[in-house]
Amino acid sequence: TLIHRIMAKDEEQFFFFRTWEILFPAIVQKKVLSFAGRIDRLIGSIFRRGIKRFEFRRFHNFNKMHQIGLFQPEEDDKLLMHIFSFQGLMWFFPFVEELNWLNYFDKLAKPEDRKRIMTFYKNCIKRQAYFKGHKSHFLSKNPFFSLKVDSLYEYFPDCKIIYMVRNPLDVVPSMINMAHQIWHSTINIEADHPLQDLVYEKAKLIYNYPLARLEQAPPDSYVTISYEDLVRQPGRVIQATYQRFGFEITPEFLQVLREEEDKIKSYKSRHVYSLDQFRFTREQIVSDLRHIFERFGFSAGQEKGANRLL
């Protein structure tokens, strides 16, 4: 989310989806709502301010984990909700056997389902490009697309992939806590419910599968970035990524990077939790993902509980 929302501010070079554009993927829908937005601005943004006040009240606790809002850049894999093929459906309908093929999309999806899903997604991007009037690069952030690496290279052969890696002692409790927040508000399960096993297995898969696939991809088509490096020096990390992929760094975007660095330095975590409240121990996570800790030099000590910019 951090690198996505920083790069999304480079609107001369990238276009992306905001949440409302995901909810309304058709061009006519976007144009009608965009026109309504212009009318709202003429009368003082009354409706926009009202929506933001509602979002603050309704999603205040959830926003401590992940900032959401109709006007925020968002993960565009949620477009697949429109065809009931979104991997996040497992948060709402945890039927493991029926939906497990989504976790192993490249291997287990039927060819006709794979074509249907990826073609729909690609067409949504084309509509968004038309709506935005862009001929530049599409910027996407989709953690679940870590399980679609082969499909991405097939349908977007010129794509560039940024693989963000973070200490599993931060990621696992983050994922489980977010899933529990959803489950608690939908199917009302307890915090130590066995469904946590489903999230833990997905977390391990998201670490292992894309790394294995990217090792077989063209070296200039991807880059691996440590979250800790990004938080310490976001400007340097993002500039290096731009240079690797041949993107132009404008003076205006350089100023954006300076401002973002100042914000990150003053950031204070608002959401801290311990592994004690989950079904998994620190020792189990370190054992199961030891190769990740060793490869990226992550600390295997007590979970840090800081810098939670999810």
Side-chain angles (χ1 to χ4, degrees):
T1 300
L2 176 60
I3 191 170
H4 179 237
R5 291 188 174 171
I6 292 176
M7 292 178 66
K9 295 186 178 182
D10 188 3
E11 295 194 47
E12 291 187 8
Q13 187 149 226
F14 299 111
F15 70 99
F16 50 90
F17 282 89
R18 301 186 189 277
T19 302
W20 74 268
E21 294 166 334
I22 293 172
L23 295 174
F24 302 97
I27 294 174
V28 172
Q29 292 173 321
K30 296 178 193 294
K31 286 187 174 292
V32 169
L33 291 172
S34 181
F35 177 75
R38 290 196 295 271
I39 298 296
D40 184 46
R41 287 192 292 273
L42 290 175
I43 61 176
S45 299
I46 296 173
F47 291 103
R48 185 185 183 98
R49 293 201 305 270
I51 290 171
K52 287 191 172 183
R53 285 195 297 268
F54 170 79
E55 291 172 344
F56 179 81
R57 292 193 303 268
R58 182 66 179 83
F59 304 115
H60 178 68
N61 290 329
F62 193 84
N63 281 342
K64 296 176 182 178
M65 298 180 292
H66 176 78
Q67 286 284 332
I68 60 175
L70 284 177
F71 309 109
Q72 292 271 20
E74 192 49 86
E75 299 167 7
D76 52 82
D77 62 333
K78 295 178 177 62
L79 288 161
L80 301 180
M81 290 189 297
H82 297 287
I83 56 172
F84 302 99
S85 300
F86 170 50
Q87 281 174 289
L89 287 174
M90 302 185 80
W91 301 145
F92 302 92
F93 308 100
F95 306 120
V96 180
E97 294 183 2
E98 291 80 358
L99 297 176
N100 195 47
W101 64 275
L102 290 171
N103 285 336
Y104 297 88
F105 186 82
D106 285 340
K107 294 182 178 180
L108 298 186
K110 297 177 181 178
E112 58 269 26
D113 285 335
R114 192 164 175 244
K115 181 178 180 180
R116 172 180 60 85
I117 291 169
M118 294 305 296
T119 301
F120 175 82
Y121 176 66
K122 189 170 186 176
N123 287 337
C124 285
I125 295 174
K126 290 180 179 179
R127 294 186 187 97
Q128 184 71 357
Y130 176 83
F131 171 65
K132 291 291 187 179
H134 257 277
K135 296 181 180 179
S136 55
H137 303 93
F138 172 59
L139 179 66
S140 170
K141 177 245 176 177
N142 294 309
F144 289 153
F145 274 19
S146 299
L147 310 176
K148 292 184 171 75
V149 174
D150 286 350
S151 299
L152 290 174
Y153 278 119
E154 177 182 347
Y155 283 83
F156 305 94
D158 295 328
C159 71
K160 308 295 184 183
I161 294 178
I162 300 175
Y163 177 78
M164 294 294 307
V165 61
R166 187 179 180 186
N167 193 318
L169 294 178
D170 285 332
V171 172
V172 171
S174 295
M175 287 184 65
I176 294 175
N177 190 62
M178 183 176 294
H180 174 66
Q181 292 290 332
I182 297 173
W183 286 333
H184 181 70
S185 62
T186 54
I187 56 179
N188 196 29
I189 68 169
E190 298 299 324
D192 62 347
H193 195 280
L195 281 175
Q196 286 188 18
D197 298 344
L198 172 67
V199 184
Y200 185 50
E201 290 304 313
K202 178 169 286 190
K204 291 190 292 184
L205 190 62
I206 287 176
Y207 272 105
N208 294 323
Y209 180 74
L211 285 175
R213 304 311 297 160
L214 289 174
E215 288 177 354
Q216 303 177 34
D220 61 348
S221 69
Y222 70 93
V223 63
T224 301
I225 297 176
S226 166
Y227 175 82
E228 283 73 11
D229 290 341
L230 178 66
V231 170
R232 282 194 297 266
Q233 294 181 303
R236 181 186 65 81
V237 169
I238 292 176
Q239 287 185 63
T241 302
Y242 269 51
Q243 291 168 359
R244 178 175 178 82
F245 292 151
F247 299 148
E248 180 185 359
I249 304 176
T250 64
E252 292 78 12
F253 187 60
L254 277 176
Q255 181 60 34
V256 168
L257 291 179
R258 296 188 189 101
E259 294 171 357
E260 292 298 324
E261 284 189 330
D262 292 338
K263 291 179 184 178
I264 292 172
K265 289 177 182 177
S266 62
Y267 176 79
K268 300 294 183 182
S269 176
R270 296 180 298 163
H271 198 72
V272 177
Y273 36 75
S274 169
L275 281 169
D276 294 340
Q277 60 185 297
F278 302 121
R279 291 167 54 88
F280 309 100
T281 65
R282 178 184 61 83
E283 290 77 14
Q284 181 180 354
I285 295 173
V286 172
S287 176
D288 290 343
L289 294 170
R290 183 171 300 279
H291 59 293
I292 298 295
F293 285 91
E294 293 175 352
R295 177 171 177 173
F296 296 102
F298 291 133
S299 170
Q302 293 297 321
E303 61 272 18
K304 300 183 287 300
N307 292 329
R308 301 205 176 279
L309 294 169
L310 304 182

